[in-house]
Amino acid sequence: MTSGTVISGPRTDADLTLGGFHPASAPDFLPPSVLRSLQLQRLRAIVQRAFDRVPLYRERMRQSGVTPDSLRSLDDVQRLPFTEKTDLRDSYPFGLFASPMSEVVRLHASSGTTGKPTVVAYTREDVEVWASVMVRSFAATGVHRGDIVQNAYGYGLFTGGLGAHYGAEALGATVIPISGGNTDRQIMIMKDFGVTAICCTPSYFVHLIERAAELGVDIKSLPLRIGVFGAEPWTEAMRDHIQASSNLKAFDIYGLSEIIGPGVGIECECQAGLHIFEDHFLMEIIDPSTGLPCPDGVEGELVLTTLSKQAMPIIRYRTHDITAIIPEPCACGRSIRRIRRIGRRSDDMFIIRGVNVFPSQVEAALLAVEGTLPHYQIVLTRDKGLDQMEVQVEVTPEVFGDTIGALERLQRNLAHSIENTLGLRVDIRLVEPHSIQRSEGKAKRVIDRRGETK
Ligand code: DLL
């Protein structure tokens, strides 16, 4: 048994349906004081490992005058230097590894927007810990042995596919490793195999719903119960759309390759924030401009430290994901704390005529108006030095066939909804169904052409 797997607990019938996994015996429910001392013990060990084995960490710790054995409390983590994505890029490909290649059993990589990808490594134990947090993730949503899981996250260097695969399999569910894309085949399999749970990005699931309708498949009549959606920001309005157009319950799953992949955190059946698997990931929320800690409940940037990853420990990683710790305990009884849904990244923000805009605000404003589909794109241009923002949004086929007057009314309503949210007048372009490119993975919401125009 590895540190991440289930602590032995009662063997009941429920145990058996979960493939031997009993949620109540998982570290999700540890008394907070036990959890905190486990975290401190692991923090000290991992910082020592990073210090001993990774020159970059040793150098940084020396510069800031911190030694691993000077960490006396969890708050002492704040004395350690941050790690940025550029550190991973600068150490490309293997410079941050803390294990010899003979112990590394897996590599993944995430394609950055520029240049070389960032590479991440796993020992056998790391892969087991990853599977264990994914087991706990699926179990939190109600997936169990006997479920048929269609895994439409991309397999390959992206962590989504294999991460969800190992977890679902370890839980004892039946996995269909279909990967992303080939939408018509996805729908055929979903129907013919009696799929009960699906994993993919929320934007891809919206596409699947729409394509199923075109193929005459009524998603609502299928046994599909649970959707495990993540890898990109989405809104409550999007969840409402998904749940209303299918009969499944849609859960938000969070993760990032640098930390482990999917399975850093997930919503439980209460759907009220994401529980972070704190026994493996130490979280902090900081003010992104000062680097200082934010009190619970206050929004800031999520900073994560891996507490058990052997091949590539990551200390105080600046995720750029904006969220807040939810101070109240969850009704599910898990003691591991929750964060709010990640609606945005600090580097997603763009500024239009002095107003800070996040794509998720636009999504929420659009979906508040009936008659649109959650397919939209924001196009930024510059005209005579002035920034322009156009929101292209697809309308439903019924609306598209409507009178010019009705379309103009919709356009006005959308413009108002966005103006109310952002305090900014933007151009709205209603486009016909299917004209915005569908993504099989992470959706691209913003096209910034300001550099191309005058
Ligand atoms: O997207 C890992 C993953 C796979 C998560 C499948 C969930 C499901 P990366 O490609 O490294 O890893 O991208 C990580 O994606 O820093 C966030 O900005 C964003 N992200 C991931 N999950 C969510 C989510 C995977 N649930 C980056 N909500 C992160 C909002 C998310 N953003």
Side-chain angles (χ1 to χ4, degrees):
M1 187 172 82
T2 64
S3 48
T5 36
V6 183
I7 294 171
S8 62
R11 295 201 62 87
T12 61
D13 289 349
D15 244 359
L16 295 175
T17 44
L18 288 170
F21 174 80
H22 193 273
S25 64
D28 302 22
F29 296 87
L30 284 177
S33 59
V34 177
L35 178 60
R36 300 286 162 249
S37 69
L38 177 67
Q39 284 185 306
L40 180 58
Q41 184 196 328
R42 288 186 174 168
L43 175 69
R44 298 181 71 170
I46 213 70
V47 170
Q48 185 72 57
R49 184 177 178 88
F51 184 88
D52 291 344
R53 298 178 176 225
V54 184
L56 177 126
Y57 286 128
R58 187 163 51 244
E59 196 46 42
R60 293 263 170 94
M61 281 187 232
R62 281 203 176 125
Q63 280 165 7
S64 45
V66 196
T67 53
D69 53 13
S70 70
L71 300 174
R72 308 237 169 270
S73 72
L74 284 174
D75 285 344
D76 280 342
V77 74
Q78 291 162 21
R79 295 169 43 224
L80 292 164
F82 291 118
T83 305
E84 293 274 3
K85 194 170 187 93
T86 46
D87 294 320
L88 274 81
R89 249 186 236 131
D90 295 345
S91 338
Y92 177 84
F94 304 148
L96 290 186
F97 290 11
S99 297
M101 207 47 103
S102 56
E103 287 169 19
V104 171
V105 300
R106 180 97 64 80
L107 298 175
H108 281 279
S110 73
S111 49
T113 38
T114 50
K116 303 274 193 200
T118 47
V119 182
V120 292
Y122 305 76
T123 62
R124 187 164 303 285
E125 202 183 339
D126 294 336
V127 170
E128 281 169 19
V129 167
W130 189 12
S132 78
V133 285
M134 281 306 298
V135 165
R136 289 158 67 187
S137 300
F138 281 120
T141 68
V143 174
H144 51 66
R145 176 187 282 195
D147 268 313
I148 302 180
V149 180
Q150 180 160 348
N151 185 13
Y153 284 122
Y155 281 65
L157 288 179
F158 175 55
T159 52
L162 283 173
H165 182 107
Y166 272 54
E169 211 171 82
L171 180 65
T174 309
V175 191
I176 307 172
I178 191 161
S179 196
N182 210 335
T183 306
D184 289 5
R185 193 172 54 164
Q186 300 262 4
I187 291 158
M188 180 186 77
I189 284 181
M190 189 188 294
K191 178 166 163 274
D192 295 350
F193 291 15
V195 165
T196 55
I198 185 158
C199 313
C200 59
T201 57
S203 57
Y204 189 55
F205 189 66
V206 169
H207 178 43
L208 280 171
I209 295 176
E210 189 180 66
R211 184 69 190 139
E214 285 167 8
L215 296 173
V217 175
D218 176 13
I219 284 231
K220 284 192 169 170
S221 70
L222 303 181
L224 198 53
R225 293 180 5 252
I226 292 172
V228 180
F229 303 129
E232 63 183 6
W234 53 309
T235 56
E236 276 306 310
M238 180 78 122
R239 183 190 340 245
D240 293 344
H241 171 86
I242 289 176
Q243 294 189 154
S245 6
S246 60
N247 270 336
L248 58 66
K249 230 175 140 178
F251 294 92
D252 193 1
I253 182 165
Y254 171 72
L256 59 168
S257 355
E258 293 83 346
I259 297 303
I260 203 156
V264 173
I266 189 138
E267 288 179 324
C268 65
E269 289 188 73
C270 302
Q271 292 177 308
L274 292 89
H275 290 276
I276 298 293
F277 294 112
E278 292 187 276
D279 47 324
H280 293 297
F281 315 110
L282 184 68
M283 63 169 161
E284 300 169 72
I285 304 285
I286 61 158
D287 176 330
S289 50
T290 62
L292 295 172
C294 290
D296 285 2
V298 173
E299 225 175 45
E301 178 181 342
L302 178 65
V303 169
L304 291 167
T305 299
T306 60
L307 292 177
S308 39
K309 203 137 64 74
Q310 300 296 299
M312 199 169 146
I314 297 282
I315 293 173
R316 299 197 85 201
Y317 187 67
R318 294 199 55 165
T319 65
H320 293 279
D321 293 323
I322 303 293
T323 181
I325 291 179
I326 301 176
E328 298 79 29
C330 184
C332 73
R334 281 179 178 73
S335 53
I336 49 172
R337 289 172 302 164
R338 291 168 297 161
I339 56 167
R340 283 194 214 137
R341 157 196 290 290
I342 290 165
R344 58 197 174 95
R345 291 177 54 80
S346 55
D347 46 11
D348 260 358
M349 190 187 82
F350 52 89
I351 301 177
I352 294 289
R353 286 170 250 143
V355 179
N356 297 351
V357 182
F358 288 96
S360 54
Q361 295 173 294
V362 175
E363 179 176 302
L366 290 177
L367 290 182
V369 177
E370 222 166 285
T372 55
L373 291 169
H375 295 298
Y376 65 94
Q377 216 153 36
I378 300 164
V379 182
L380 307 177
T381 51
R382 187 164 290 155
D383 184 24
K384 298 191 189 76
L386 201 65
D387 287 347
Q388 307 289 337
M389 168 171 158
E390 180 183 83
V391 179
Q392 303 178 348
V393 56
E394 283 184 18
V395 292
T396 57
E398 304 79 62
V399 170
F400 197 72
D402 223 329
T403 60
I404 302 276
L407 286 172
E408 282 173 352
R409 224 175 5 260
L410 177 61
Q411 203 167 13
R412 270 198 306 276
N413 289 343
L414 288 170
H416 277 146
S417 180
I418 292 191
E419 194 175 349
N420 282 341
T421 313
L422 301 178
L424 191 72
R425 272 180 183 277
V426 304
D427 298 324
I428 302 283
R429 187 139 77 91
L430 302 182
V431 296
E432 61 183 297
H434 296 297
S435 48
I436 291 174
Q437 202 189 351
R438 302 293 186 258
S439 134
E440 290 162 3
K442 298 175 192 259
K444 185 165 171 51
R445 300 297 191 194
V446 182
I447 300 178
D448 193 344
R449 299 210 176 105
R450 286 177 294 181
E452 302 164 21
T453 45
K454 283 174 277 150

Short mmCIF file of all heavy atoms in Angstrom, two decimals, residues 54-84:
data_model
loop_
_atom_site.label_atom_id
_atom_site.label_comp_id
_atom_site.label_asym_id
_atom_site.label_seq_id
_atom_site.Cartn_x
_atom_site.Cartn_y
_atom_site.Cartn_z
N VAL A 54 17.72 18.56 -6.10
CA VAL A 54 17.45 19.46 -7.25
C VAL A 54 18.23 20.77 -7.06
O VAL A 54 17.92 21.57 -6.17
CB VAL A 54 15.93 19.74 -7.37
CG1 VAL A 54 15.65 20.58 -8.61
CG2 VAL A 54 15.12 18.46 -7.37
N PRO A 55 19.26 20.97 -7.90
CA PRO A 55 20.12 22.15 -7.72
C PRO A 55 19.34 23.47 -7.66
O PRO A 55 19.64 24.33 -6.85
CB PRO A 55 21.04 22.11 -8.94
CG PRO A 55 21.04 20.67 -9.37
CD PRO A 55 19.72 20.10 -8.99
N LEU A 56 18.29 23.60 -8.50
CA LEU A 56 17.55 24.87 -8.52
C LEU A 56 16.94 25.17 -7.15
O LEU A 56 17.03 26.29 -6.65
CB LEU A 56 16.45 24.84 -9.60
CG LEU A 56 15.58 26.10 -9.65
CD1 LEU A 56 15.54 26.69 -11.06
CD2 LEU A 56 14.16 25.79 -9.21
N TYR A 57 16.33 24.15 -6.54
CA TYR A 57 15.71 24.37 -5.22
C TYR A 57 16.78 24.67 -4.16
O TYR A 57 16.60 25.54 -3.32
CB TYR A 57 14.88 23.14 -4.80
CG TYR A 57 13.58 23.01 -5.57
CD1 TYR A 57 13.25 21.82 -6.20
CD2 TYR A 57 12.68 24.06 -5.64
CE1 TYR A 57 12.05 21.68 -6.90
CE2 TYR A 57 11.48 23.93 -6.34
CZ TYR A 57 11.17 22.74 -6.97
OH TYR A 57 10.00 22.62 -7.65
N ARG A 58 17.88 23.93 -4.24
CA ARG A 58 18.93 24.13 -3.24
C ARG A 58 19.44 25.57 -3.30
O ARG A 58 19.53 26.26 -2.30
CB ARG A 58 20.08 23.13 -3.48
CG ARG A 58 21.11 23.15 -2.38
CD ARG A 58 22.00 21.93 -2.39
NE ARG A 58 22.57 21.63 -3.69
CZ ARG A 58 22.30 20.54 -4.40
NH1 ARG A 58 21.47 19.62 -3.93
NH2 ARG A 58 22.86 20.34 -5.58
N GLU A 59 19.69 26.00 -4.52
CA GLU A 59 20.19 27.35 -4.75
C GLU A 59 19.21 28.41 -4.23
O GLU A 59 19.57 29.33 -3.50
CB GLU A 59 20.43 27.50 -6.27
CG GLU A 59 21.30 28.67 -6.69
CD GLU A 59 22.56 28.79 -5.84
OE1 GLU A 59 23.21 27.75 -5.54
OE2 GLU A 59 22.85 29.92 -5.45
N ARG A 60 17.92 28.21 -4.60
CA ARG A 60 16.89 29.19 -4.19
C ARG A 60 16.75 29.23 -2.65
O ARG A 60 16.57 30.28 -2.07
CB ARG A 60 15.53 28.79 -4.77
CG ARG A 60 15.43 28.89 -6.26
CD ARG A 60 14.79 30.21 -6.67
NE ARG A 60 14.91 30.41 -8.10
CZ ARG A 60 13.98 30.06 -8.97
NH1 ARG A 60 12.84 29.55 -8.55
NH2 ARG A 60 14.16 30.26 -10.26
N MET A 61 16.80 28.05 -2.04
CA MET A 61 16.64 28.02 -0.58
C MET A 61 17.83 28.68 0.09
O MET A 61 17.68 29.42 1.05
CB MET A 61 16.47 26.58 -0.08
CG MET A 61 15.06 26.05 -0.30
SD MET A 61 14.87 24.43 0.48
CE MET A 61 14.23 23.47 -0.85
N ARG A 62 19.00 28.44 -0.48
CA ARG A 62 20.20 29.07 0.10
C ARG A 62 20.07 30.58 0.01
O ARG A 62 20.32 31.29 0.97
CB ARG A 62 21.45 28.61 -0.64
CG ARG A 62 21.87 27.24 -0.17
CD ARG A 62 23.35 27.00 -0.45
NE ARG A 62 23.75 25.72 0.10
CZ ARG A 62 24.33 24.76 -0.59
NH1 ARG A 62 24.60 24.91 -1.87
NH2 ARG A 62 24.65 23.64 0.00
N GLN A 63 19.63 31.04 -1.19
CA GLN A 63 19.50 32.49 -1.37
C GLN A 63 18.52 33.11 -0.37
O GLN A 63 18.71 34.22 0.09
CB GLN A 63 18.99 32.81 -2.78
CG GLN A 63 20.07 32.77 -3.85
CD GLN A 63 19.48 32.71 -5.25
OE1 GLN A 63 18.28 32.84 -5.44
NE2 GLN A 63 20.34 32.53 -6.24
N SER A 64 17.45 32.35 -0.06
CA SER A 64 16.48 32.96 0.86
C SER A 64 16.71 32.53 2.31
O SER A 64 15.90 32.84 3.19
CB SER A 64 15.05 32.68 0.40
OG SER A 64 14.92 31.34 0.05
N GLY A 65 17.81 31.85 2.55
CA GLY A 65 18.21 31.52 3.92
C GLY A 65 17.29 30.54 4.64
O GLY A 65 17.13 30.61 5.85
N VAL A 66 16.65 29.64 3.88
CA VAL A 66 15.77 28.64 4.52
C VAL A 66 16.42 27.27 4.38
O VAL A 66 16.91 26.92 3.31
CB VAL A 66 14.39 28.55 3.81
CG1 VAL A 66 13.37 27.84 4.69
CG2 VAL A 66 13.89 29.91 3.38
N THR A 67 16.40 26.50 5.46
CA THR A 67 16.86 25.12 5.35
C THR A 67 15.66 24.22 5.64
O THR A 67 14.76 24.61 6.37
CB THR A 67 17.97 24.82 6.39
OG1 THR A 67 17.48 25.21 7.66
CG2 THR A 67 19.25 25.55 6.05
N PRO A 68 15.67 23.01 5.06
CA PRO A 68 14.51 22.12 5.26
C PRO A 68 14.20 21.91 6.74
O PRO A 68 13.05 21.89 7.15
CB PRO A 68 14.93 20.82 4.58
CG PRO A 68 15.93 21.24 3.56
CD PRO A 68 16.64 22.42 4.13
N ASP A 69 15.25 21.76 7.58
CA ASP A 69 14.95 21.46 8.99
C ASP A 69 14.49 22.68 9.79
O ASP A 69 14.14 22.58 10.95
CB ASP A 69 16.12 20.73 9.67
CG ASP A 69 17.41 21.50 9.51
OD1 ASP A 69 17.33 22.67 9.09
OD2 ASP A 69 18.48 20.92 9.79
N SER A 70 14.48 23.85 9.12
CA SER A 70 13.97 25.02 9.84
C SER A 70 12.46 25.17 9.69
O SER A 70 11.86 26.11 10.20
CB SER A 70 14.68 26.30 9.38
OG SER A 70 14.27 26.61 8.05
N LEU A 71 11.82 24.23 8.97
CA LEU A 71 10.37 24.29 8.81
C LEU A 71 9.70 23.66 10.04
O LEU A 71 9.72 22.45 10.21
CB LEU A 71 9.92 23.53 7.55
CG LEU A 71 10.49 24.04 6.22
CD1 LEU A 71 10.10 23.13 5.07
CD2 LEU A 71 10.02 25.46 5.94
N ARG A 72 9.17 24.50 10.90
CA ARG A 72 8.60 24.01 12.16
C ARG A 72 7.08 23.92 12.13
O ARG A 72 6.48 23.17 12.89
CB ARG A 72 8.99 24.92 13.33
CG ARG A 72 10.47 25.18 13.42
CD ARG A 72 11.05 24.76 14.78
NE ARG A 72 12.50 24.78 14.74
CZ ARG A 72 13.26 23.76 14.39
NH1 ARG A 72 12.72 22.61 14.05
NH2 ARG A 72 14.58 23.86 14.36
N SER A 73 6.46 24.70 11.28
CA SER A 73 5.00 24.66 11.20
C SER A 73 4.60 24.78 9.74
O SER A 73 5.43 25.14 8.89
CB SER A 73 4.38 25.82 11.98
OG SER A 73 4.61 27.02 11.26
N LEU A 74 3.33 24.52 9.45
CA LEU A 74 2.89 24.61 8.06
C LEU A 74 3.02 26.04 7.53
O LEU A 74 3.28 26.26 6.36
CB LEU A 74 1.43 24.13 7.93
CG LEU A 74 1.26 22.61 7.98
CD1 LEU A 74 -0.22 22.25 7.98
CD2 LEU A 74 1.98 21.92 6.82
N ASP A 75 2.84 27.02 8.43
CA ASP A 75 2.97 28.42 7.98
C ASP A 75 4.38 28.74 7.50
O ASP A 75 4.58 29.66 6.72
CB ASP A 75 2.61 29.39 9.12
CG ASP A 75 1.10 29.43 9.33
OD1 ASP A 75 0.37 28.98 8.42
OD2 ASP A 75 0.66 29.90 10.40
N ASP A 76 5.35 27.95 7.95
CA ASP A 76 6.73 28.19 7.52
C ASP A 76 6.91 27.98 6.02
O ASP A 76 7.92 28.40 5.46
CB ASP A 76 7.70 27.28 8.28
CG ASP A 76 8.01 27.81 9.68
OD1 ASP A 76 7.75 29.01 9.91
OD2 ASP A 76 8.48 27.02 10.51
N VAL A 77 5.94 27.34 5.39
CA VAL A 77 6.04 27.16 3.94
C VAL A 77 6.17 28.52 3.26
O VAL A 77 6.81 28.66 2.22
CB VAL A 77 4.81 26.37 3.38
CG1 VAL A 77 3.55 27.22 3.35
CG2 VAL A 77 5.10 25.80 2.00
N GLN A 78 5.61 29.54 3.90
CA GLN A 78 5.65 30.89 3.31
C GLN A 78 7.07 31.46 3.22
O GLN A 78 7.29 32.44 2.53
CB GLN A 78 4.78 31.85 4.13
CG GLN A 78 3.30 31.55 4.01
CD GLN A 78 2.48 32.19 5.12
OE1 GLN A 78 2.91 33.14 5.75
NE2 GLN A 78 1.30 31.66 5.35
N ARG A 79 8.00 30.82 3.90
CA ARG A 79 9.39 31.31 3.83
C ARG A 79 10.11 30.74 2.61
O ARG A 79 11.19 31.19 2.26
CB ARG A 79 10.13 30.93 5.11
CG ARG A 79 9.53 31.66 6.34
CD ARG A 79 10.06 31.12 7.66
NE ARG A 79 11.49 30.88 7.63
CZ ARG A 79 12.07 29.79 8.13
NH1 ARG A 79 11.36 28.86 8.72
NH2 ARG A 79 13.37 29.63 8.04
N LEU A 80 9.49 29.74 1.99
CA LEU A 80 10.15 29.11 0.85
C LEU A 80 9.89 29.94 -0.42
O LEU A 80 8.85 30.57 -0.55
CB LEU A 80 9.60 27.69 0.64
CG LEU A 80 9.96 26.68 1.73
CD1 LEU A 80 9.06 25.45 1.64
CD2 LEU A 80 11.42 26.28 1.60
N PRO A 81 10.85 29.91 -1.35
CA PRO A 81 10.64 30.67 -2.59
C PRO A 81 9.56 30.04 -3.48
O PRO A 81 9.33 28.83 -3.41
CB PRO A 81 12.00 30.62 -3.28
CG PRO A 81 12.88 29.77 -2.46
CD PRO A 81 12.15 29.25 -1.28
N PHE A 82 8.94 30.86 -4.31
CA PHE A 82 7.94 30.34 -5.26
C PHE A 82 8.61 29.63 -6.42
O PHE A 82 9.78 29.87 -6.72
CB PHE A 82 7.13 31.51 -5.86
CG PHE A 82 6.22 32.19 -4.88
CD1 PHE A 82 6.40 33.54 -4.57
CD2 PHE A 82 5.18 31.50 -4.29
CE1 PHE A 82 5.55 34.18 -3.68
CE2 PHE A 82 4.32 32.14 -3.39
CZ PHE A 82 4.51 33.49 -3.08
N THR A 83 7.84 28.76 -7.09
CA THR A 83 8.29 28.17 -8.35
C THR A 83 7.31 28.63 -9.43
O THR A 83 6.11 28.67 -9.20
CB THR A 83 8.27 26.62 -8.26
OG1 THR A 83 9.06 26.23 -7.14
CG2 THR A 83 8.84 25.98 -9.51
N GLU A 84 7.85 28.99 -10.58
CA GLU A 84 7.02 29.49 -11.69
C GLU A 84 7.12 28.53 -12.87
O GLU A 84 8.07 27.75 -12.96
CB GLU A 84 7.57 30.85 -12.16
CG GLU A 84 7.42 31.97 -11.17
CD GLU A 84 6.06 32.67 -11.25
OE1 GLU A 84 5.20 32.23 -12.06
OE2 GLU A 84 5.86 33.63 -10.50
#
